[in-house]
Amino acid sequence: MEPTSLLIFAGALLVAAGSPGPSIAALVARVISKGFRDVLPFLAAMWIGEAIWLSLAVFGLAVVAQSFHLAFVIVKWAGVAYLAYLAWKMWTAPVAVRDGEMPREDSPVKLFFAGMGVTLGNPKIMMFYLALLPTIIDLASVSVVGWVELTLTMAIVLVAIDIAWVIAAAQARRLLKSQRAMKIANRVSATTMAGAAAAIAAR
């Protein structure tokens, strides 16, 4: 693909993905509440989910996605339900920690499916790849090599954005030392997570 086309795609994705939304809210809430060490499955699922939407658009499967609208609705509400569950767990999480221990982490599999549900069920991401992307890139002329180039460009942009959010959330977490501060952090994270669930549900 032409470098100019890849730069335009990267710029549009930077604006779309960099703006706070349900996925970013869920990620930041998780890091502030539990730390950054266990968010990799969540991040990996977010990146894979976006690659799925990109692939659907590039290979002309937008019609297929619309035909299976019910499946995507189910994925959306599964993601909403799990985000609401995580919000409840954060709200009720114990704040008495010793020797740097944190409350028990969720399993990587649960985090992966949570990230996948948030990404595949997020209308903002869906509309970017299935509606906005065709106005930026001539998808009819994209070859397999072009798809690989777009996917690599997408990965670079998303990794940079999400890691920046993780670092910012981790820095904020380090400021929270007391039990009272931890309780406030849990409540704020729970509210943010619930807001992410509500944002997805409302769209």
Side-chain angles (χ1 to χ4, degrees):
M1 291 189 62
E2 292 293 330
T4 304
S5 298
L6 290 177
L7 285 175
I8 293 174
F9 168 66
L13 182 60
L14 183 66
V15 173
S19 58
S23 299
I24 296 298
L27 175 64
V28 170
R30 179 73 194 186
V31 173
I32 290 178
S33 176
K34 295 287 186 74
F36 67 90
R37 297 185 184 279
D38 69 336
V39 298
L40 184 56
F42 190 87
L43 282 172
M46 288 172 58
W47 299 334
I48 292 172
E50 297 229 14
I52 290 173
W53 282 122
L54 173 63
S55 300
L56 287 174
V58 168
F59 293 114
L61 295 181
V63 175
V64 174
Q66 293 171 0
S67 300
F68 291 97
H69 176 69
L70 178 60
F72 291 106
V73 170
I74 293 173
V75 169
K76 167 185 173 178
W77 286 105
V80 168
Y82 192 71
L83 284 177
Y85 169 70
L86 288 180
W88 175 78
K89 284 190 66 177
M90 289 178 183
W91 188 273
T92 59
V95 295
V97 295
R98 58 172 184 253
D99 299 328
E101 295 176 354
M102 293 298 297
R104 185 169 59 86
E105 299 173 350
D106 290 312
S107 72
V109 174
K110 287 183 178 179
L111 287 172
F112 181 86
F113 281 110
M116 190 65 71
V118 167
T119 304
L120 292 182
N122 188 342
K124 172 186 172 185
I125 296 174
M126 185 190 309
M127 292 303 295
F128 175 81
Y129 288 108
L130 298 184
L132 180 60
L133 182 62
T135 67
I136 301 173
I137 302 292
D138 181 12
L139 298 180
S141 64
V142 176
S143 63
V144 174
V145 175
W147 167 74
V148 172
E149 293 172 339
L150 284 171
T151 302
L152 290 175
T153 303
M154 177 209 72
I156 292 171
V157 172
L158 293 180
V159 168
I161 290 172
D162 292 336
I163 294 300
W165 279 109
V166 168
I167 292 173
Q171 291 296 325
R173 175 182 166 79
R174 287 182 182 148
L175 301 177
L176 306 172
K177 301 296 184 181
S178 68
Q179 289 189 16
R180 182 173 182 274
M182 283 299 297
K183 184 175 182 179
I184 293 173
N186 284 343
R187 297 294 171 85
V188 170
S189 297
T191 303
T192 305
M193 191 72 79
I200 295 177
R203 293 184 179 185

